[in-house]
């Protein structure tokens, strides 16, 4: 009686799962059991606390910030009046906000399209076994781990108007007559940041697609060969359809990781000229750290995070369906 | 000669010729592959090449591929004799090393528990961790700046290490969990039978077996924290504490057209990453894909 009174609700399903054990356990064993169960959670507790304090709490803090009116003067004074959704209405009525969303989609779309095509090409080439192919495809991945400020600076130098190597090359082979001042004009600045992003991400896309290519059963290709197909037909009717699910998840993943880019554009153009490359993360940063409109920055980052979360959930959902199939 | 060639081969000769032709195309492919790699990595070469040129030679038209003469002036002047650059390198070293240790200390036990101790919500926690990696860094930088201002962590190493660990910890746990899953359960049971506490099982039996995982996570945490930019830009407002990434970005404006100097700083900033990548390539390549995707 005494023991059943002290049993915590958690003990009950545990006991139910092991019906063969004696119903009345000695007191000592039970204490040991609960100690080790507590011990289990001690392993995750520090990490959970850390993530809670430094990731989840800040994200909610951000949400909260977006519902208050916080700018430089009252931030320092510590006043943060609650204004409800007013900041959102203000942001949504500004063309600059919608412009940054459009620029983000343009930049992300352009980058993932070309990174996907180049990554696919590289994957098809390096999928074949030849001496050094493994090392070569790993070496390509160095562009992905290089500090983004380094790659941004190097591309800035290569695309420089008067003495950049890109202009010299394009003039050398006769594509352009006059040097192009890539980062000074809006449309070419967008092309520039897309080029450097594609350079960084294509090898990563290649690695992800390679995993998919290697999962295609070789028997399918052999059967197609027996049917007298040529290499193009096999690519068109075996590789492409077999790769479709993998390709879609890779595209989605690229979208998620490109949409959140900040460094590359900040280093190359700071969102300029004007706001020609002013993607949403740059817009949010400018609002908060250059104009000290913390609430406006928080609104932009809330919208940013909602888009990211929706895409991430879509990715989870798609990969889940894949597993079930 | 022609008639000789037309004679039917014996089976052995035929196989030999086939193997030789196959080997030739193999080397042909390898040559094309090498060419692709060289062209693709040209920007890295161009960075190093520019950094070794005389300041004036940088502007020569048409550009010279290789520096002649090779000079180290930009490295001496703009790196080794430049206190701000040395300071920024030291800052990055402190931040990246701190992040590496904090990530391992927090991430390893958590990954172990999620893999082995049959906790509730394991799937949910894993999804949250994966999601955490997909969120824009700026989403964290903005509130962290406001919070850190309140608690006095802006402009401190501690603040930067904490923020960088927040980025590294989710992928550390995701990468480490499969390593723990691959440890044979019998080994751990044996330890438990011998009277080890859960902590002793973890420390004495499991940890030594998952060293490759720890190396992967350590390398990735260091490399990402070394190159991290957004937190350096927002949470370190004084130049004294800014990492090399932020310093390099600042020099773009300051150096004007001294591209050789800028490329020398860029090369030095990239060097630790390239060295670690070259040395621990197989760990890093595996870790990058495992950390970003859902199996």
């Amino acid at each position: 009686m005494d023991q059943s009174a002290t049993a915590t609700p958690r003990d009950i399903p545990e006991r139910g799962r092991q019906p063969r054990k004696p119903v009345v356990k000695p007191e000592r064993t039970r204490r040991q059991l609960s100690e080790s169960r507590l011990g289990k959670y001690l392993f995750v507790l520090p990490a959970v606390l850390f993530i809670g304090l430094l990731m989840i709490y800040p994200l909610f803090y951000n949400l909260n910030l977006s519902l208050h009116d916080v700018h430089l003067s009252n931030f320092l004074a510590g006043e943060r009046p609650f204004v409800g959704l007013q900041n959102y209405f203000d942001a949504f009525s500004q063309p600059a906000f919608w412009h940054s969303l459009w620029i983000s989609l343009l930049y992300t779309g352009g980058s993932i399209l070309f990174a996907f095509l180049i990554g696919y090409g590289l994957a098809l080439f390096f999928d074949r076994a030849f001496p050094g192919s493994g090392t070569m495809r790993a070496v390509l991945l160095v562009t992905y781990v290089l500090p983004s400020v380094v790659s941004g600076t190097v591309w800035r130098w290569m695309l420089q108007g008067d003495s950049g190597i890109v202009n010299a090359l394009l003039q050398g082979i006769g594509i352009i007559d006059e040097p192009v001042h890539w980062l000074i004009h809006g449309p070419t600045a967008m092309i520039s940041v897309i080029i450097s992003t594609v350079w960084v991400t294509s090898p990563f896309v290649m690695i992800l697609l390679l995993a998919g290519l290697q999962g295609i059963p070789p028997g399918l290709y052999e059967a197609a060969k027996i049917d007298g197909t040529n290499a193009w037909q096999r690519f068109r009717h075996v590789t492409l359809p077999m790769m479709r699910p993998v390709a879609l998840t890779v595209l989605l993943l690229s979208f998620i990781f490109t949409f959140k880019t900040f460094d590359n554009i900040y280093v190359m153009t700071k969102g300029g000229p004007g706001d020609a490359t002013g993607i949403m993360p740059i817009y949010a940063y400018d609002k908060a750290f250059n104009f000290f409109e913390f609430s406006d920055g928080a609104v932009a980052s809330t919208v940013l995070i909602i888009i990211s979360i929706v895409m991430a959930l879509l990715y989870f959902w798609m990969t889940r369906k894949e597993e079930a199939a | 000669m022609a008639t000789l060639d037309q004679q039917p081969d014996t089976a052995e000769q035929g196989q030999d010729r086939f193997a030789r032709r196959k080997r030739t195309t193999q080397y042909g492919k390898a040559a094309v592959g090498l060419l692709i790699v060289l062209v693709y990595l040209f920007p890295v070469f161009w960075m190093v090449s520019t950094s070794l040129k005389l300041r004036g030679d940088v502007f020569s038209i048409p550009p010279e591929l290789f520096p002649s003469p090779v000079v180290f002036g930009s490295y001496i002047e703009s790196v080794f004799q430049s206190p701000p650059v040395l300071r920024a390198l030291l800052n990055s070293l402190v931040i990246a090393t701190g992040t590496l240790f904090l990530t391992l200390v927090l991430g390893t036990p958590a990954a172990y528990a999620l893999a082995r101790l049959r906790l509730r919500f394991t799937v949910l926690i894993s999804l949250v961790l994966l999601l955490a990696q997909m969120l824009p860094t700026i989403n964290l930088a903005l509130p962290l700046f406001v919070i850190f201002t309140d608690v006095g962590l802006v402009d401190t190493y501690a603040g930067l290490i904490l923020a960088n660990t927040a980025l590294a910890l989710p992928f550390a746990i995701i990468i480490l969990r499969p390593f723990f899953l691959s440890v044979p359960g019998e080994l751990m049971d044996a330890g438990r039978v011998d009277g080890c506490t859960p902590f002793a099982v973890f420390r004495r039996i499991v940890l030594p077996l998952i060293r490759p995982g720890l190396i992967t996570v350590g390398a990735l945490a260091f490399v990402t924290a070394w190159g991290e930019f957004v937190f350096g830009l927002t949470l370190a407002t004084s130049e004294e504490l800014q990492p090399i990434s932020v310093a390099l970005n600042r020099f773009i404006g300051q150096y004007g057209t001294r591209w050789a100097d800028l490329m020398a700083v860029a090369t030095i900033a990239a060097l630790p990453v390239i060295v670690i990548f070259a040395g621990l390539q197989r760990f890093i390549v595996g870790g990058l894909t495992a950390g970003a995707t859902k199996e």
Side-chain angles (χ1 to χ4, degrees), chain A residues 245-267:
Chain A
V246 178
L248 280 177
T249 57
V250 170
L251 273 174
L252 200 52
L253 210 56
S254 317
F255 182 97
I256 293 167
F257 283 103
T258 309
F259 188 70
K260 74 195 199 95
T261 309
F262 176 88
D263 314 12
N264 178 53
I265 291 193
Y266 188 84
V267 171

PDB file of all heavy atoms in Angstrom, chain A residues 245-267:
ATOM      1  N   PRO A 245      12.997  12.418 -57.251  1.00  0.00           N
ATOM      2  CA  PRO A 245      12.761  12.743 -55.832  1.00  0.00           C
ATOM      3  C   PRO A 245      13.978  13.366 -55.156  1.00  0.00           C
ATOM      4  O   PRO A 245      13.844  14.339 -54.418  1.00  0.00           O
ATOM      5  CB  PRO A 245      12.429  11.389 -55.198  1.00  0.00           C
ATOM      6  CG  PRO A 245      12.419  10.392 -56.279  1.00  0.00           C
ATOM      7  CD  PRO A 245      12.860  11.006 -57.544  1.00  0.00           C
ATOM      8  N   VAL A 246      15.165  12.801 -55.427  1.00  0.00           N
ATOM      9  CA  VAL A 246      16.382  13.350 -54.825  1.00  0.00           C
ATOM     10  C   VAL A 246      16.592  14.783 -55.299  1.00  0.00           C
ATOM     11  O   VAL A 246      16.893  15.684 -54.516  1.00  0.00           O
ATOM     12  CB  VAL A 246      17.610  12.487 -55.185  1.00  0.00           C
ATOM     13  CG1 VAL A 246      18.876  13.083 -54.595  1.00  0.00           C
ATOM     14  CG2 VAL A 246      17.421  11.069 -54.706  1.00  0.00           C
ATOM     15  N   ALA A 247      16.407  14.999 -56.606  1.00  0.00           N
ATOM     16  CA  ALA A 247      16.631  16.322 -57.169  1.00  0.00           C
ATOM     17  C   ALA A 247      15.716  17.350 -56.508  1.00  0.00           C
ATOM     18  O   ALA A 247      16.144  18.459 -56.180  1.00  0.00           O
ATOM     19  CB  ALA A 247      16.409  16.291 -58.676  1.00  0.00           C
ATOM     20  N   LEU A 248      14.461  16.966 -56.283  1.00  0.00           N
ATOM     21  CA  LEU A 248      13.523  17.903 -55.661  1.00  0.00           C
ATOM     22  C   LEU A 248      13.945  18.258 -54.241  1.00  0.00           C
ATOM     23  O   LEU A 248      13.912  19.424 -53.850  1.00  0.00           O
ATOM     24  CB  LEU A 248      12.112  17.305 -55.655  1.00  0.00           C
ATOM     25  CG  LEU A 248      11.364  17.421 -56.979  1.00  0.00           C
ATOM     26  CD1 LEU A 248      10.010  16.731 -56.887  1.00  0.00           C
ATOM     27  CD2 LEU A 248      11.168  18.894 -57.353  1.00  0.00           C
ATOM     28  N   THR A 249      14.370  17.256 -53.456  1.00  0.00           N
ATOM     29  CA  THR A 249      14.778  17.572 -52.089  1.00  0.00           C
ATOM     30  C   THR A 249      16.062  18.407 -52.088  1.00  0.00           C
ATOM     31  O   THR A 249      16.215  19.298 -51.254  1.00  0.00           O
ATOM     32  CB  THR A 249      14.990  16.303 -51.232  1.00  0.00           C
ATOM     33  OG1 THR A 249      15.946  15.479 -51.874  1.00  0.00           O
ATOM     34  CG2 THR A 249      13.723  15.548 -51.031  1.00  0.00           C
ATOM     35  N   VAL A 250      16.966  18.139 -53.037  1.00  0.00           N
ATOM     36  CA  VAL A 250      18.194  18.930 -53.102  1.00  0.00           C
ATOM     37  C   VAL A 250      17.864  20.380 -53.460  1.00  0.00           C
ATOM     38  O   VAL A 250      18.424  21.316 -52.887  1.00  0.00           O
ATOM     39  CB  VAL A 250      19.189  18.324 -54.113  1.00  0.00           C
ATOM     40  CG1 VAL A 250      20.355  19.272 -54.359  1.00  0.00           C
ATOM     41  CG2 VAL A 250      19.709  16.991 -53.604  1.00  0.00           C
ATOM     42  N   LEU A 251      16.923  20.578 -54.381  1.00  0.00           N
ATOM     43  CA  LEU A 251      16.508  21.929 -54.743  1.00  0.00           C
ATOM     44  C   LEU A 251      15.921  22.661 -53.534  1.00  0.00           C
ATOM     45  O   LEU A 251      16.225  23.823 -53.277  1.00  0.00           O
ATOM     46  CB  LEU A 251      15.474  21.884 -55.869  1.00  0.00           C
ATOM     47  CG  LEU A 251      16.024  21.860 -57.289  1.00  0.00           C
ATOM     48  CD1 LEU A 251      14.904  21.660 -58.290  1.00  0.00           C
ATOM     49  CD2 LEU A 251      16.774  23.144 -57.604  1.00  0.00           C
ATOM     50  N   LEU A 252      15.098  21.938 -52.796  1.00  0.00           N
ATOM     51  CA  LEU A 252      14.467  22.539 -51.624  1.00  0.00           C
ATOM     52  C   LEU A 252      15.509  22.906 -50.576  1.00  0.00           C
ATOM     53  O   LEU A 252      15.492  23.996 -49.991  1.00  0.00           O
ATOM     54  CB  LEU A 252      13.446  21.548 -51.055  1.00  0.00           C
ATOM     55  CG  LEU A 252      12.365  22.100 -50.148  1.00  0.00           C
ATOM     56  CD1 LEU A 252      11.660  23.270 -50.808  1.00  0.00           C
ATOM     57  CD2 LEU A 252      11.366  21.007 -49.825  1.00  0.00           C
ATOM     58  N   LEU A 253      16.440  21.986 -50.362  1.00  0.00           N
ATOM     59  CA  LEU A 253      17.520  22.224 -49.400  1.00  0.00           C
ATOM     60  C   LEU A 253      18.370  23.420 -49.845  1.00  0.00           C
ATOM     61  O   LEU A 253      18.746  24.265 -49.034  1.00  0.00           O
ATOM     62  CB  LEU A 253      18.378  20.962 -49.301  1.00  0.00           C
ATOM     63  CG  LEU A 253      19.064  20.677 -47.982  1.00  0.00           C
ATOM     64  CD1 LEU A 253      18.066  20.618 -46.851  1.00  0.00           C
ATOM     65  CD2 LEU A 253      19.838  19.368 -48.064  1.00  0.00           C
ATOM     66  N   SER A 254      18.655  23.501 -51.154  1.00  0.00           N
ATOM     67  CA  SER A 254      19.432  24.642 -51.658  1.00  0.00           C
ATOM     68  C   SER A 254      18.677  25.933 -51.438  1.00  0.00           C
ATOM     69  O   SER A 254      19.261  26.958 -51.101  1.00  0.00           O
ATOM     70  CB  SER A 254      19.718  24.527 -53.159  1.00  0.00           C
ATOM     71  OG  SER A 254      20.085  23.261 -53.510  1.00  0.00           O
ATOM     72  N   PHE A 255      17.367  25.888 -51.655  1.00  0.00           N
ATOM     73  CA  PHE A 255      16.567  27.088 -51.429  1.00  0.00           C
ATOM     74  C   PHE A 255      16.734  27.545 -49.978  1.00  0.00           C
ATOM     75  O   PHE A 255      17.022  28.712 -49.712  1.00  0.00           O
ATOM     76  CB  PHE A 255      15.083  26.824 -51.733  1.00  0.00           C
ATOM     77  CG  PHE A 255      14.225  28.056 -51.546  1.00  0.00           C
ATOM     78  CD1 PHE A 255      13.887  28.837 -52.638  1.00  0.00           C
ATOM     79  CD2 PHE A 255      13.784  28.432 -50.283  1.00  0.00           C
ATOM     80  CE1 PHE A 255      13.110  29.991 -52.461  1.00  0.00           C
ATOM     81  CE2 PHE A 255      13.014  29.574 -50.099  1.00  0.00           C
ATOM     82  CZ  PHE A 255      12.676  30.351 -51.202  1.00  0.00           C
ATOM     83  N   ILE A 256      16.571  26.579 -49.043  1.00  0.00           N
ATOM     84  CA  ILE A 256      16.637  26.923 -47.625  1.00  0.00           C
ATOM     85  C   ILE A 256      17.990  27.546 -47.279  1.00  0.00           C
ATOM     86  O   ILE A 256      18.072  28.564 -46.603  1.00  0.00           O
ATOM     87  CB  ILE A 256      16.380  25.665 -46.760  1.00  0.00           C
ATOM     88  CG1 ILE A 256      14.928  25.209 -46.940  1.00  0.00           C
ATOM     89  CG2 ILE A 256      16.686  25.945 -45.302  1.00  0.00           C
ATOM     90  CD1 ILE A 256      14.650  23.825 -46.408  1.00  0.00           C
ATOM     91  N   PHE A 257      19.071  26.935 -47.789  1.00  0.00           N
ATOM     92  CA  PHE A 257      20.397  27.414 -47.396  1.00  0.00           C
ATOM     93  C   PHE A 257      20.815  28.676 -48.159  1.00  0.00           C
ATOM     94  O   PHE A 257      21.647  29.436 -47.662  1.00  0.00           O
ATOM     95  CB  PHE A 257      21.435  26.302 -47.545  1.00  0.00           C
ATOM     96  CG  PHE A 257      21.356  25.309 -46.416  1.00  0.00           C
ATOM     97  CD1 PHE A 257      20.759  24.071 -46.584  1.00  0.00           C
ATOM     98  CD2 PHE A 257      21.850  25.637 -45.168  1.00  0.00           C
ATOM     99  CE1 PHE A 257      20.663  23.173 -45.528  1.00  0.00           C
ATOM    100  CE2 PHE A 257      21.759  24.756 -44.108  1.00  0.00           C
ATOM    101  CZ  PHE A 257      21.164  23.520 -44.292  1.00  0.00           C
ATOM    102  N   THR A 258      20.256  28.898 -49.354  1.00  0.00           N
ATOM    103  CA  THR A 258      20.614  30.114 -50.094  1.00  0.00           C
ATOM    104  C   THR A 258      19.770  31.296 -49.619  1.00  0.00           C
ATOM    105  O   THR A 258      20.249  32.418 -49.544  1.00  0.00           O
ATOM    106  CB  THR A 258      20.410  29.915 -51.605  1.00  0.00           C
ATOM    107  OG1 THR A 258      21.072  28.711 -51.986  1.00  0.00           O
ATOM    108  CG2 THR A 258      21.000  31.061 -52.392  1.00  0.00           C
ATOM    109  N   PHE A 259      18.532  31.021 -49.279  1.00  0.00           N
ATOM    110  CA  PHE A 259      17.617  32.078 -48.848  1.00  0.00           C
ATOM    111  C   PHE A 259      18.138  32.790 -47.599  1.00  0.00           C
ATOM    112  O   PHE A 259      17.878  33.962 -47.389  1.00  0.00           O
ATOM    113  CB  PHE A 259      16.238  31.478 -48.584  1.00  0.00           C
ATOM    114  CG  PHE A 259      15.165  32.490 -48.321  1.00  0.00           C
ATOM    115  CD1 PHE A 259      14.703  33.309 -49.336  1.00  0.00           C
ATOM    116  CD2 PHE A 259      14.614  32.634 -47.053  1.00  0.00           C
ATOM    117  CE1 PHE A 259      13.717  34.248 -49.095  1.00  0.00           C
ATOM    118  CE2 PHE A 259      13.629  33.568 -46.806  1.00  0.00           C
ATOM    119  CZ  PHE A 259      13.176  34.380 -47.832  1.00  0.00           C
ATOM    120  N   LYS A 260      18.888  32.072 -46.753  1.00  0.00           N
ATOM    121  CA  LYS A 260      19.366  32.680 -45.518  1.00  0.00           C
ATOM    122  C   LYS A 260      20.741  33.332 -45.652  1.00  0.00           C
ATOM    123  O   LYS A 260      21.284  33.851 -44.684  1.00  0.00           O
ATOM    124  CB  LYS A 260      19.374  31.647 -44.384  1.00  0.00           C
ATOM    125  CG  LYS A 260      20.479  30.620 -44.445  1.00  0.00           C
ATOM    126  CD  LYS A 260      20.159  29.475 -43.498  1.00  0.00           C
ATOM    127  CE  LYS A 260      21.370  28.649 -43.139  1.00  0.00           C
ATOM    128  NZ  LYS A 260      22.020  29.040 -41.905  1.00  0.00           N
ATOM    129  N   THR A 261      21.305  33.342 -46.875  1.00  0.00           N
ATOM    130  CA  THR A 261      22.624  33.945 -47.084  1.00  0.00           C
ATOM    131  C   THR A 261      22.653  35.395 -46.628  1.00  0.00           C
ATOM    132  O   THR A 261      21.695  36.130 -46.824  1.00  0.00           O
ATOM    133  CB  THR A 261      22.979  33.937 -48.587  1.00  0.00           C
ATOM    134  OG1 THR A 261      22.785  32.642 -49.080  1.00  0.00           O
ATOM    135  CG2 THR A 261      24.410  34.366 -48.817  1.00  0.00           C
ATOM    136  N   PHE A 262      23.758  35.781 -46.061  1.00  0.00           N
ATOM    137  CA  PHE A 262      23.944  37.184 -45.694  1.00  0.00           C
ATOM    138  C   PHE A 262      25.352  37.649 -46.082  1.00  0.00           C
ATOM    139  O   PHE A 262      25.528  38.625 -46.809  1.00  0.00           O
ATOM    140  CB  PHE A 262      23.724  37.354 -44.177  1.00  0.00           C
ATOM    141  CG  PHE A 262      23.994  38.739 -43.673  1.00  0.00           C
ATOM    142  CD1 PHE A 262      23.003  39.705 -43.672  1.00  0.00           C
ATOM    143  CD2 PHE A 262      25.257  39.083 -43.188  1.00  0.00           C
ATOM    144  CE1 PHE A 262      23.261  40.991 -43.214  1.00  0.00           C
ATOM    145  CE2 PHE A 262      25.516  40.367 -42.720  1.00  0.00           C
ATOM    146  CZ  PHE A 262      24.514  41.315 -42.723  1.00  0.00           C
ATOM    147  N   ASP A 263      26.344  36.896 -45.619  1.00  0.00           N
ATOM    148  CA  ASP A 263      27.755  37.293 -45.718  1.00  0.00           C
ATOM    149  C   ASP A 263      28.171  37.654 -47.133  1.00  0.00           C
ATOM    150  O   ASP A 263      28.740  38.717 -47.382  1.00  0.00           O
ATOM    151  CB  ASP A 263      28.684  36.165 -45.265  1.00  0.00           C
ATOM    152  CG  ASP A 263      28.253  35.518 -43.979  1.00  0.00           C
ATOM    153  OD1 ASP A 263      27.118  35.763 -43.535  1.00  0.00           O
ATOM    154  OD2 ASP A 263      29.048  34.754 -43.426  1.00  0.00           O
ATOM    155  N   ASN A 264      27.897  36.740 -48.051  1.00  0.00           N
ATOM    156  CA  ASN A 264      28.360  36.881 -49.410  1.00  0.00           C
ATOM    157  C   ASN A 264      27.943  38.217 -50.017  1.00  0.00           C
ATOM    158  O   ASN A 264      28.761  38.965 -50.562  1.00  0.00           O
ATOM    159  CB  ASN A 264      27.785  35.702 -50.201  1.00  0.00           C
ATOM    160  CG  ASN A 264      28.153  35.752 -51.638  1.00  0.00           C
ATOM    161  OD1 ASN A 264      29.329  35.865 -51.972  1.00  0.00           O
ATOM    162  ND2 ASN A 264      27.169  35.704 -52.500  1.00  0.00           N
ATOM    163  N   ILE A 265      26.661  38.539 -49.878  1.00  0.00           N
ATOM    164  CA  ILE A 265      26.157  39.786 -50.454  1.00  0.00           C
ATOM    165  C   ILE A 265      26.653  40.998 -49.670  1.00  0.00           C
ATOM    166  O   ILE A 265      27.037  42.006 -50.233  1.00  0.00           O
ATOM    167  CB  ILE A 265      24.615  39.754 -50.526  1.00  0.00           C
ATOM    168  CG1 ILE A 265      24.209  38.728 -51.575  1.00  0.00           C
ATOM    169  CG2 ILE A 265      24.044  41.130 -50.809  1.00  0.00           C
ATOM    170  CD1 ILE A 265      22.781  38.787 -51.997  1.00  0.00           C
ATOM    171  N   TYR A 266      26.692  40.854 -48.358  1.00  0.00           N
ATOM    172  CA  TYR A 266      27.152  41.984 -47.545  1.00  0.00           C
ATOM    173  C   TYR A 266      28.587  42.362 -47.918  1.00  0.00           C
ATOM    174  O   TYR A 266      28.919  43.530 -48.033  1.00  0.00           O
ATOM    175  CB  TYR A 266      27.067  41.632 -46.056  1.00  0.00           C
ATOM    176  CG  TYR A 266      27.342  42.818 -45.160  1.00  0.00           C
ATOM    177  CD1 TYR A 266      26.328  43.712 -44.852  1.00  0.00           C
ATOM    178  CD2 TYR A 266      28.623  43.062 -44.665  1.00  0.00           C
ATOM    179  CE1 TYR A 266      26.570  44.816 -44.055  1.00  0.00           C
ATOM    180  CE2 TYR A 266      28.873  44.164 -43.866  1.00  0.00           C
ATOM    181  CZ  TYR A 266      27.840  45.030 -43.563  1.00  0.00           C
ATOM    182  OH  TYR A 266      28.092  46.138 -42.777  1.00  0.00           O
ATOM    183  N   VAL A 267      29.421  41.357 -48.131  1.00  0.00           N
ATOM    184  CA  VAL A 267      30.825  41.612 -48.458  1.00  0.00           C
ATOM    185  C   VAL A 267      30.955  42.177 -49.869  1.00  0.00           C
ATOM    186  O   VAL A 267      31.737  43.091 -50.115  1.00  0.00           O
ATOM    187  CB  VAL A 267      31.660  40.323 -48.320  1.00  0.00           C
ATOM    188  CG1 VAL A 267      33.057  40.520 -48.871  1.00  0.00           C
ATOM    189  CG2 VAL A 267      31.720  39.891 -46.869  1.00  0.00           C
TER     190      VAL A 267
END
